[in-house]
Amino acid sequence: MAEEFFIQGNEACAKGAIAAGCRFFAGYPITPSTEIAETLARELPKVGGSFVQMEDEIASAGAIIGGSWGGAKSMTATSGPGISLMQENIGYAFMSETPIVIVDVQRGSPSTAQPTMAAQGDMMQARWGSHGDYEPIALSPSSVQEFFDFTIKAFNLAEEYRVPVFVMADEVIGHMREKIVVEEDIEIVARKRPEKSDNYLPFENIENGTTPMPAFGDGFNIHVTGLTHDERGYPDTNNPETHDKLIQRICDKVLNNKDKICSVKTKDCEDADVVVVSYGGPVRSVVEAVAKARADGKKVGYAKIDTPWPFPDEQIKEACANAKDVIVVEMNLGQMYYEVDRVCKRDANVHLMGKIGGLLPTPDEILEQIDRIGGN
Amino acid sequence: MRTEIRIGGFGGQGVILAGIILGKSACLFDGKEAVQTQSYGPEARGGASKCEVVISDSEIDYPKVLTPDIFIAMSNEALVKYIVDLKDNGTLIVDPGTTDVEDVREFIDEHNIKVYEAPATKTATDEIGLKIVANIVMVGAITKITKVISKEAAIKAIEASVPKGTEEKNIKAFEAGYALVE
């Protein structure tokens, strides 16, 4: 039977992680994500999992990579200052194709800025934070229910594609309490394990790009490295072809499945002159503002991005196809705005409504912007 | 209908738990929607602390409280600091033992505020023998005065929210608060 809870976003995230099969958490608790670590420290041992409080975020990211290769679904949770420190190991996880989940409950930034206030300043860091070419997957929840659902989805995508997956939440969603419904049947993706054979290749260039992954102790001879490696996993750093093949595969396994990964929810976009694009916490204000504008007879719609990365080009193009103006509402001074502008600029004027300081934009502030730009 | 509620007090009085109980009552036991938010950070320690709840018959989009319909003040500092956005004709519930409404008399008259006095701290101390249940006494008073949640839902939510073994004392505190006002 489905169960109902009235809990915080961060608690819902922890609950989702356990439901998804997470059995290892390593982290360095930081506001406003602390309740995730707190809840998992209490709950993971009850289901046979492990919780380790690490000495810092660099070690936290390293530990969950190890946990994942040890065969456990693994996660960490942090905020801006921590995600900065994790970047080196995040790159290692992409190169070694290690499924991990990184939850970032975003706060005022840069540096330590505003620990208890909301922001969305880490969106580009999720995309480009580590050096080199790779294709991350990121999800942004707009409700406590979605923080639960998207954490499960993050684990499923990580396992399906052997990639690090980010859950890019914000302080608003992390700390507010709402009702969530936990269904009895939850779809869980199990890790694909390899078959033993004489010519086993742990990084084989197979057609869909995602090679089955053994765990340490399963009896396979594997070498895991951040260096450019061949299909056996051995370093082969001076061969342009090896590098090209490896990195193309790592990118393509995500890009070739964008239609399955990307998710955008739209409302009233078909005849809209103005489309408001948003993700995460600000969606809550956008939905209310657009409903009010419609009630006043204005041709306004909205598009809610569930998956900022890989950026849902096609869905956003379609949502904004008939709009003269597009407004991107986000809690930074312009990050996802540039992506929306890139896909829409030939057909619509794309405007940024960026709000920093820590508070959600209000529906009235968004309505003012809609009125100023058009939609009358 | 959307009802915005703000509860203010000093850190340690349990205003956050009071808000959680209101939210839980509404959405788990009254079949409504609810969102609870709170202010974090240095101001929540010792000084004025506040907890906010939105309760509605339909889905709640914008989750924050901007102009409360109901404001409950359990400390004078919170009363003075957080009354400023209370709606015209709004409801103010104060604990007369810890607040002085004369300090906001001008606001009350200007905005035609309905004022109720619920001596939660005194009732908790004298009738229950536990000052720390003043927040639950206040939930009883809020339930009776505002009817924003049902009595049955409130009792279920309290039972589900307080530490095991303290249910009876807390329900008694709720009933005492419910009986405080006519």
Side-chain angles (χ1 to χ4, degrees):
Chain A
M1 230 183 71
E3 275 188 283
E4 292 184 348
F5 302 90
F6 183 72
I7 53 174
Q8 251 188 356
N10 285 342
E11 294 171 297
C13 169
K15 219 179 231 313
I18 288 180
C22 173
R23 291 297 178 267
F24 184 65
F25 180 99
Y28 189 74
I30 180 173
T31 303
S33 75
T34 306
E35 295 84 2
I36 299 172
E38 198 182 333
T39 307
L40 287 171
R42 199 172 53 235
E43 300 300 326
L44 268 178
K46 294 182 190 168
V47 293
S50 303
F51 172 95
V52 187
Q53 179 157 337
M54 302 300 294
E55 67 268 37
D56 62 28
E57 289 89 345
I58 302 172
S60 302
I64 62 167
I65 291 170
S68 186
W69 277 99
K73 290 188 181 177
S74 303
M75 174 174 113
T76 191
T78 189
S79 190
I83 207 88
S84 290
L85 286 171
M86 288 178 185
Q87 291 302 333
E88 182 179 1
N89 277 331
I90 288 171
Y92 182 84
F94 277 103
M95 192 60 153
S96 58
E97 299 178 74
T98 309
I100 52 172
V101 172
I102 301 144
V103 180
D104 181 358
V105 186
Q106 296 169 89
R107 66 189 224 182
S109 55
S111 189
T112 41
Q114 296 176 291
T116 60
M117 304 294 273
Q120 295 177 303
D122 312 348
M123 298 310 295
M124 281 296 163
Q125 211 174 11
R127 175 66 189 89
W128 299 111
S130 202
H131 47 285
D133 301 301
Y134 59 92
E135 289 293 333
I137 298 175
L139 308 161
S140 277
S142 300
S143 65
V144 175
Q145 179 75 51
E146 278 190 349
F147 208 173
F148 175 83
D149 294 340
F150 286 8
T151 302
I152 295 171
K153 203 172 167 191
F155 275 99
N156 286 348
L157 290 164
E159 295 299 334
E160 178 91 39
Y161 299 106
R162 271 187 75 177
V163 283
V165 176
F166 295 88
V167 181
M168 301 302 287
D170 48 68
E171 189 274 340
V172 173
I173 305 302
H175 276 160
M176 70 186 196
R177 284 184 178 82
E178 282 184 308
K179 183 174 82 176
I180 68 160
V181 180
V182 176
E183 300 293 343
E184 204 173 357
D185 288 322
I186 294 170
E187 195 197 328
I188 305 295
V189 174
R191 188 172 298 181
K192 283 180 211 77
R193 295 292 184 88
E195 303 272 330
K196 277 196 181 137
S197 69
D198 292 339
N199 51 358
Y200 169 66
L201 292 170
F203 296 93
E204 194 178 356
N205 200 356
I206 61 172
E207 203 189 322
N208 74 5
T210 308
T211 321
M213 178 179 170
F216 288 152
D218 281 355
F220 292 87
N221 293 320
I222 41 169
H223 183 250
V224 183
T225 178
L227 290 169
T228 290
H229 44 274
D230 60 21
E231 290 175 274
R232 298 171 302 161
Y234 293 178
D236 183 20
T237 60
N238 290 345
N239 185 340
E241 203 184 314
T242 306
H243 185 80
D244 184 66
K245 239 166 88 175
L246 173 68
I247 302 303
Q248 284 296 344
R249 179 174 63 77
I250 285 176
C251 292
D252 285 348
K253 68 182 178 182
V254 171
L255 293 178
N256 290 344
N257 289 296
K258 274 183 80 168
D259 55 336
K260 278 190 258 170
I261 298 167
C262 294
S263 168
V264 172
K265 295 189 181 84
T266 60
K267 192 162 194 293
D268 294 333
C269 288
E270 299 76 14
D271 67 338
D273 293 327
V274 178
V275 169
V276 187
V277 178
S278 188
Y279 58 94
V283 168
R284 305 292 289 250
S285 310
V286 168
V287 171
E288 191 161 320
V290 167
K292 278 185 184 165
R294 274 279 160 181
D296 288 347
K298 293 166 191 161
K299 288 188 169 177
V300 183
Y302 72 80
K304 166 194 187 304
I305 301 175
D306 290 338
T307 53
W309 307 118
F311 190 75
D313 291 38
E314 293 309 315
Q315 289 92 331
I316 289 299
K317 238 185 247 171
E318 194 188 325
C320 302
N322 300 318
K324 295 184 192 76
D325 293 281
V326 174
I327 304 171
V328 181
V329 181
E330 55 184 340
M331 295 178 76
N332 55 50
L333 294 181
Q335 294 199 13
M336 301 311 292
Y337 158 74
Y338 291 102
E339 290 293 307
V340 179
D341 188 53
R342 176 177 62 77
V343 301
C344 295
K345 70 175 166 196
R346 290 208 190 114
D347 310 309
N349 298 311
V350 183
H351 313 266
L352 168 68
M353 180 181 167
K355 182 172 176 175
I356 55 169
L359 300 177
L360 266 190
T362 65
D364 283 348
E365 287 169 348
I366 297 166
L367 275 171
E368 268 171 41
Q369 200 77 1
I370 292 169
D371 286 342
R372 202 173 57 78
I373 283 161
N376 281 311
Chain B
M1 201 185 78
R2 179 184 172 113
T3 307
E4 298 192 352
I5 304 160
R6 173 179 293 165
I7 311 174
F10 34 75
Q13 264 182 324
V15 299
I16 306 286
L17 181 61
I20 292 171
I21 289 168
L22 293 181
K24 207 179 261 191
S25 304
C27 76
L28 294 189
F29 304 111
D30 273 339
K32 295 184 179 180
E33 300 288 335
V35 184
Q36 179 266 335
T37 55
Q38 64 209 60
S39 59
Y40 280 81
E43 65 165 357
R45 310 259 180 276
S49 153
K50 73 173 170 181
C51 172
E52 298 179 328
V53 188
V54 180
I55 295 176
S56 175
D57 299 319
S58 54
E59 201 169 303
I60 298 163
D61 296 317
Y62 182 70
K64 300 275 184 177
V65 165
L66 288 176
T67 50
D69 302 277
I70 300 161
F71 174 41
I72 301 103
M74 292 187 67
S75 80
N76 210 52
E77 192 187 340
L79 172 66
V80 174
K81 193 169 171 187
Y82 299 135
I83 197 170
V84 289
D85 324 301
L86 188 57
K87 264 187 202 139
D88 287 355
N89 309 310
T91 298
L92 172 68
I93 305 173
V94 295
D95 183 338
T98 53
T99 59
D100 183 359
V101 284
E102 291 316 311
D103 288 354
V104 292
R105 176 57 60 195
E106 203 179 312
F107 186 95
I108 290 169
D109 292 342
E110 202 173 306
H111 297 272
N112 197 26
I113 304 298
K114 296 185 283 286
V115 184
Y116 296 86
E117 295 197 339
T121 310
K122 188 174 188 304
T123 306
T125 313
D126 295 351
E127 288 186 35
I128 316 296
L130 272 177
K131 194 179 166 190
I132 56 162
V133 296
N135 58 339
I136 306 297
V137 174
M138 197 50 110
V139 170
I142 297 165
T143 307
K144 181 76 167 283
I145 294 164
T146 68
K147 297 178 179 61
V148 70
I149 55 170
S150 72
K151 190 179 176 186
E152 299 70 31
I155 288 170
K156 282 184 199 159
I158 290 167
E159 284 171 346
S161 306
V162 299
K164 291 255 172 302
T166 68
E167 293 92 340
E168 204 183 314
K169 277 239 184 310
N170 278 294
I171 299 300
K172 216 175 138 195
F174 172 82
E175 292 286 2
Y178 198 82
L180 274 181
V181 275
E182 280 312 310

